[in-house]
C-alpha cells in the first residue's frame, strides 16, 4: 500500500517519502543576496521532508522582487548555497532550487533604480512591495523587448549551471 511515507523515485532521484516542502521565500539573504548560516539552519531543520524546494532565487542580477531574497548569479552566492546543500545532504535531505525572474514584481528601490521589465506595462495593484524605505506601491514595468529575451534565457541557463555547481539535486 502506498502512503505518504512510501519512498518515491523522481527520475534519477530517490526520495524517502512523499512529503514535499513548497518554496517559501524567507528574505534572509541580506542585501548582497548571499545565502547564509541562518538559511542553512532553516533548511536542515526540514531535511526529513521527501524533497525541499528552496525559495524563489534570482536567476539574474537586478531582478529583485523581495528585499533580501537569495540569488544564484555570483560566485559568493554559489558558495553560500553550497553550504546549504552540503548541510541538507549531511542530514539525508534532498533539495531543489527554484530559480526565477521577478518581472513586474521587481521594484527600483531593490534594483539600483532600474525599472522592472515584464511582458506588458501593467503594474501590480492593491498591494505593495517591502523595500528598505518601507512598503511602497508597485511601479509600472517597462515592456520587455524581443531582443532582450535571449539574454534572459541565457541568464536562466547560467543560473541552472550555478545551481548544479552549488550541489542542488534539481532545479525548478
Amino acid at each position: 500500500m502506498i502512503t505518504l511515507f512510501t519512498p518515491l523515485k523522481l527520475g534519477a532521484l530517490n526520495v524517502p517519502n512523499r512529503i514535499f516542502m513548497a518554496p517559501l521565500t524567507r528574505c534572509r539573504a541580506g542585501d548582497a543576496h548571499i545565502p547564509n548560516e541562518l538559511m542553512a539552519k532553516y533548511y536542515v531543520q526540514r531535511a526529513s521532508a521527501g524533497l525541499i524546494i528552496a525559495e524563489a532565487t534570482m536567476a539574474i542580477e537586478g531582478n529583485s522582487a523581495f528585499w533580501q531574497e537569495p540569488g544564484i548569479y555570483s560566485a559568493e552566492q554559489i558558495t553560500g548555497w553550497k553550504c546549504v546543500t552540503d548541510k541538507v545532504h549531511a542530514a539525508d535531505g534532498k533539495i531543489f532550487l527554484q530559480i526565477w525572474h521577478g518581472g513586474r514584481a521587481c521594484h527600483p528601490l531593490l534594483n539600483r533604480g532600474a525599472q522592472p521589465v515584464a511582458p506588458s506595462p501593467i503594474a501590480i495593484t492593491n498591494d505593495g512591495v517591502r523595500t528598505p524605505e518601507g512598503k511602497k506601491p508597485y511601479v509600472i514595468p517597462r515592456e520587455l523587448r524581443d531582443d532582450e529575451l535571449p539574454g534572459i534565457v541565457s541568464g536562466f541557463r547560467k543560473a541552472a549551471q550555478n545551481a548544479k555547481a552549488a550541489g542542488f539535486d534539481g532545479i525548478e
Side-chain angles (χ1 to χ4, degrees), residues 10-42:
L10 298 170
L13 185 68
N14 292 307
V15 296
N17 59 62
R18 294 159 188 252
I19 301 168
F20 289 11
M21 182 180 140
L24 303 165
T25 305
R26 310 305 304 159
C27 301
R28 295 176 173 170
D31 291 336
H33 308 285
I34 299 171
N36 55 48
E37 284 299 320
L38 180 61
M39 293 170 63
K41 181 177 180 181
Y42 172 81

Side-chain angles (χ1 to χ4, degrees), residues 144-155:
L144 186 66
R145 298 183 320 268
D146 289 346
D147 67 318
E148 294 174 292
L149 289 172
I152 291 173
V153 171
S154 176

Side-chain angles (χ1 to χ4, degrees), residues 20-27 35 39-40 42-44 46 49-58 66 69-72 80-82 84-85 88-89 94-100 163 166-172:
F20 289 11
M21 182 180 140
L24 303 165
T25 305
R26 310 305 304 159
C27 301
M39 293 170 63
Y42 172 81
Y43 287 116
V44 167
R46 289 146 180 87
L51 177 65
I52 297 168
I53 303 173
E55 60 202 279
T57 299
M58 284 187 294
F66 296 109
E69 84 272 39
I72 190 70
W81 276 122
K82 181 78 172 126
V84 173
T85 61
V88 167
H89 292 148
K94 305 290 185 193
I95 186 168
F96 279 22
L97 182 64
Q98 181 188 63
I99 54 176
W100 83 314
F168 284 94
D169 297 300
I171 301 154
E172 177 190 47

Side-chain angles (χ1 to χ4, degrees), residues 33 62 64-69 105-113 129-132:
H33 308 285
S64 179
F66 296 109
W67 186 26
Q68 300 184 345
E69 84 272 39
C106 295
H107 194 280
L109 289 173
L110 301 176
N111 296 290
R112 297 187 194 113
V129 59
R130 295 188 199 298
T131 76

